Amino acid sequence: MGNLLSAMFSATDVQQEWNRGELWAFVYRIMFSASFRTLFGRHKENKDETARLVHSMEEFQKYDKRFPEIISNVPWWLMGQTRKRYEYLKSMVSPAELSQRGLSDFMRMRQEIYTDGELSADEKAAFNFATMWASLSNTLPAAFWTLYHLLKDPVAMAAVRAEVDQLLKETGQTLENVKEGGEMIHVTRQQLNDMKCLGSAINEALRMCSASIIIRVATEDAELALESGSTFRIRKGDRVGLYPGFLHMDPEVYDHPETFKYDRFLENGQEKTAFYKNGRKLRHYLLPFGHGVSMCPGRFFALNEIKQLVTIVVCYFDMELIDMETPPMDQSRAGLGTLAPLNDCLFRYRFKQGCL
Ligand code: HEM
């Protein structure tokens, strides 16, 4: 929460007048810097890294734009500065660099796993960068779409605001005692878990924007029977790609799947888990984080971070969309993770009265 708050305050002109900005760029900058600091820690010597982080973010953004080509094995020499950017970003998370930082438990445990093998420093840096990419490139679009849809739907935003208000009251916090440099809001992990309404809105954003292909290698010959009655014969060693996006947009499972319904995953104040297809209750109805042994290990972190972002926005800011037309999703990334908006959208924001 502390990293998000400081990223938020340094990314915004602290004033109570309306500021205009672009929502995707705003979310990107805040979430990049907060996520990086939370996962990889702060530098022990270089306390103020703002300029370095902004540069890394710009390099990451350019690298990530090329990701569909990188994954398709387009040679580096056809991709301009991409290789240089990759090397630079790897150096940000190399073992030597990480030894200078106060790492999160998650990253510390991953470093411990690597020491058991015989990986070179460069290979370890490459694995760390893969984690960095997996965390940022998926969480940032998910955070954007959650905030975008809440800003677009006043009923959804009012419901989330009521939940945040309730949480503040229960812990003796009020917006009046939140002052710059003074007391900051704080929420516990349990409180984040209890935010079912916001959790539902995030699930709904993920349902609509996640487009990962889950790839598995068959370890033995098998036969896959489909509902339609046809069967697929799978040989040992075959790669199987599953695309949950079809399920997420199936109108039989989710009525009006193109519409954002913040309470789709909410039932009597609890998380709704009953979804049906052909009259049968589905065991798996939402798979933005994959499934099984290699299911995303960062899912709790990502969900909590998005909840914290929205909580901060609700507590400290007035925010309104100026562009009301929903931007299309960047389909060039279909299959690779969550989809970012293809173009940015204007919004305006100001600090709430009493927050300065
Ligand atoms: C909304 C945000 C996120 C989404 C939608 C997402 C989605 C996914 C998906 C679909 C997979 C593949 C799972 C499978 O094959 O079954 C995956 C793997 C992975 N994710 Fe995430 N992820 C998110 C955030 C994060 C974060 C924040 C981190 C790190 C803190 C992270 C680290 C990883 C890693 C290391 C893997 C590889 C796991 C393995 O192969 O064993 N992800 N993620």
Side-chain angles (χ1 to χ4, degrees), residues 28 32 51-67 70 76 79-92 129 132-133 136:
Y28 204 103
F32 183 95
R52 192 165 172 236
L53 282 186
V54 169
H55 180 63
S56 311
M57 180 195 79
E58 288 163 355
E59 293 295 291
F60 183 85
Q61 220 164 2
K62 289 176 193 155
Y63 170 87
D64 197 30
K65 264 227 156 334
R66 293 286 201 162
F67 200 72
I70 296 167
W76 288 115
M79 289 190 287
Q81 302 286 308
T82 310
R83 175 81 201 239
K84 231 172 99 190
R85 295 202 167 100
Y86 172 61
E87 295 300 333
Y88 168 75
L89 291 164
K90 247 182 2 180
S91 75
M92 287 290 291
F129 177 63
M132 177 179 162
W133 179 86
L136 296 166

Side-chain angles (χ1 to χ4, degrees), residues 106 110 134-135 138-139 212 216 288-291 294 296-298 301-302 338:
F106 177 76
R110 287 187 86 84
S135 66
N138 280 314
T139 312
S212 299
R216 297 291 183 267
F289 295 109
H291 177 63
S294 65
C296 175
F301 174 74
T338 53

Side-chain angles (χ1 to χ4, degrees), residues 54-309:
V54 169
H55 180 63
S56 311
M57 180 195 79
E58 288 163 355
E59 293 295 291
F60 183 85
Q61 220 164 2
K62 289 176 193 155
Y63 170 87
D64 197 30
K65 264 227 156 334
R66 293 286 201 162
F67 200 72
E69 292 153 82
I70 296 167
I71 205 84
S72 313
N73 272 338
V74 172
W76 288 115
W77 61 269
L78 282 174
M79 289 190 287
Q81 302 286 308
T82 310
R83 175 81 201 239
K84 231 172 99 190
R85 295 202 167 100
Y86 172 61
E87 295 300 333
Y88 168 75
L89 291 164
K90 247 182 2 180
S91 75
M92 287 290 291
V93 287
S94 67
E97 168 72 22
L98 295 194
S99 66
Q100 298 296 307
R101 312 187 73 93
L103 289 187
S104 63
D105 287 349
F106 177 76
M107 284 313 298
R108 201 178 31 72
M109 276 153 67
R110 287 187 86 84
Q111 303 313 296
E112 281 164 15
I113 296 169
Y114 301 156
T115 50
D116 291 346
E118 289 182 358
L119 298 175
S120 67
D122 190 56
E123 286 167 326
K124 287 179 192 166
F127 278 117
N128 289 337
F129 177 63
T131 304
M132 177 179 162
W133 179 86
S135 66
L136 296 166
S137 69
N138 280 314
T139 312
L140 274 47
F144 167 83
W145 288 114
T146 304
L147 189 55
Y148 176 85
H149 286 299
L150 289 176
L151 290 174
K152 190 153 180 183
D153 180 350
V155 176
M157 188 54 113
V160 167
R161 194 183 300 282
E163 189 169 63
V164 172
D165 269 352
Q166 182 63 26
L167 180 152
L168 289 184
K169 271 195 205 113
E170 278 167 13
T171 47
Q173 303 176 77
T174 59
L175 276 184
E176 288 71 51
N177 58 28
V178 171
K179 297 201 175 63
E180 198 206 2
E183 200 177 328
M184 291 289 181
I185 52 160
H186 56 89
V187 284
T188 62
R189 194 168 173 167
Q190 185 56 47
Q191 286 171 322
L192 290 172
N193 287 344
D194 291 344
M195 297 176 95
K196 303 295 179 201
C197 179
L198 180 50
S200 169
I202 297 171
N203 276 348
E204 178 68 339
L206 281 169
R207 179 187 69 77
M208 295 172 79
C209 79
S210 68
S212 299
I213 295 180
I214 304 176
I215 299 173
R216 297 291 183 267
V217 179
T219 52
E220 54 189 58
D221 291 346
E223 219 166 56
L224 195 63
L226 301 189
E227 287 266 333
S228 61
S230 58
T231 51
F232 280 102
R233 197 164 291 161
I234 297 166
R235 295 154 303 185
K236 182 177 175 180
D238 279 349
R239 285 179 191 199
V240 181
L242 304 171
Y243 186 60
F246 290 133
L247 170 69
H248 294 169
M249 297 309 277
D250 184 336
E252 209 190 317
V253 183
Y254 298 109
D255 63 321
H256 299 98
E258 308 288 343
T259 308
F260 177 88
K261 297 187 181 182
Y262 78 95
D263 55 355
R264 203 187 278 278
F265 295 92
L266 202 57
E267 197 168 50
N268 303 324
Q270 291 305 312
E271 182 173 352
K272 179 176 174 183
T273 53
F275 292 88
Y276 296 85
K277 170 98 183 157
N278 291 337
R280 276 210 347 245
K281 190 170 174 211
L282 296 175
R283 198 145 64 99
H284 304 296
Y285 51 87
L286 187 67
L287 294 164
F289 295 109
H291 177 63
V293 279
S294 65
M295 189 176 186
C296 175
R299 59 194 183 281
F300 302 111
F301 174 74
L303 294 175
N304 282 343
E305 213 184 9
I306 300 173
K307 282 183 180 172
Q308 289 176 352
L309 174 81

